[in-house]
Amino acid sequence: MKQENSRRTLERFLPMQVRAVTEGEDNRVFELSFSSEEPYMRWFGPEILDHSGEACDLSRLQELGVVLFNHDRNAVLGKITRAWIEDNRGKAEIAFDDDEFAETIRKKVAGGTLRGVSVGYRVDNWEEVTAGGTSVDGRFTGPCSIARHWLPYEVSIVSVPADATVGVGRELESEQCSAVSLCERQLQINKNHFKEELNT
């Protein structure tokens, strides 16, 4: 069952899997992974980003995608030149700008000092799967919330990864979480339980 979301900003951290696109000390172009289907613990339980079919809308990254430092909109490091889905992972090719700040971060990425990447995204449709239940496509077992249509809009190089309970990303999420959002989730869970009872 799909559910509309309140469209708040979400962030998710991954250890950086990065490689230089070309060899050389001054290489400015890198390829990295920014998302996966690995469950991520949120305040409402495990969240899974669906990477199948048309689930991930890459249009914003393709058209306006930027690379930020620590999700700071005033700390632009470069641009996303290409984004795609491969092996159930979101991948991007990024090009660092040549200003002093971007160059400092580029060197830290190339040298392995900075190894965290995070993605900022919005979820438009959720599928709620109850404990012991299976998702509509049979790929995931509950309890979990599956982002069935989601839009990544920026990729960040991060110095200190946020975990599920602390940090800027979690703080922003909890501030923007409303009682209405909680009620919508509970209603969806109740609907799922009701459907299961009808089917037995």
Side-chain angles (χ1 to χ4, degrees), residues 151-187:
L151 176 83
Y153 58 84
E154 59 91 358
V155 171
S156 281
I157 305 299
V158 293
S159 53
V160 180
D163 67 21
T165 58
V166 297
V168 175
R170 308 300 84 71
E171 192 173 85
L172 174 66
E173 182 182 330
S174 61
E175 282 174 10
Q176 293 182 346
C177 172
S178 66
V180 172
S181 177
L182 289 172
C183 289
E184 287 173 348
R185 286 193 171 276
Q186 189 58 52
L187 283 171

Side-chain angles (χ1 to χ4, degrees), residues 108-168:
K108 290 181 184 293
V109 168
T113 303
L114 289 174
R115 292 181 278 183
V117 66
S118 183
V119 60
Y121 58 98
R122 182 188 79 212
V123 178
D124 294 320
N125 284 297
W126 294 98
E127 178 186 347
E128 301 290 345
V129 183
T130 57
T134 305
S135 61
V136 172
D137 60 9
R139 296 173 58 218
F140 307 106
T141 302
C144 62
S145 298
I146 306 166
R148 288 299 190 186
H149 190 266
W150 59 285
L151 176 83
Y153 58 84
E154 59 91 358
V155 171
S156 281
I157 305 299
V158 293
S159 53
V160 180
D163 67 21
T165 58
V166 297
V168 175

Side-chain angles (χ1 to χ4, degrees), residues 43-110:
W43 61 269
F44 51 79
E47 172 199 75
I48 296 171
L49 296 177
D50 185 1
H51 285 68
S52 66
E54 304 283 315
C56 179
D57 180 356
L58 295 171
S59 61
R60 180 94 178 256
L61 287 185
Q62 300 280 23
E63 295 164 13
L64 304 169
V66 293
V67 182
L68 304 178
F69 184 61
N70 287 331
H71 297 288
D72 183 347
R73 293 178 184 182
N74 295 314
V76 177
L77 299 174
K79 62 186 174 187
I80 296 170
T81 56
R82 189 166 69 101
W84 69 98
I85 303 297
E86 181 181 308
D87 298 326
N88 292 325
R89 296 181 78 82
K91 295 195 170 186
E93 188 176 274
I94 65 169
F96 282 91
D97 289 340
D98 59 4
D99 60 87
E100 186 178 346
F101 176 67
E103 178 62 9
T104 299
I105 303 303
R106 182 197 71 81
K107 285 180 178 177
K108 290 181 184 293
V109 168

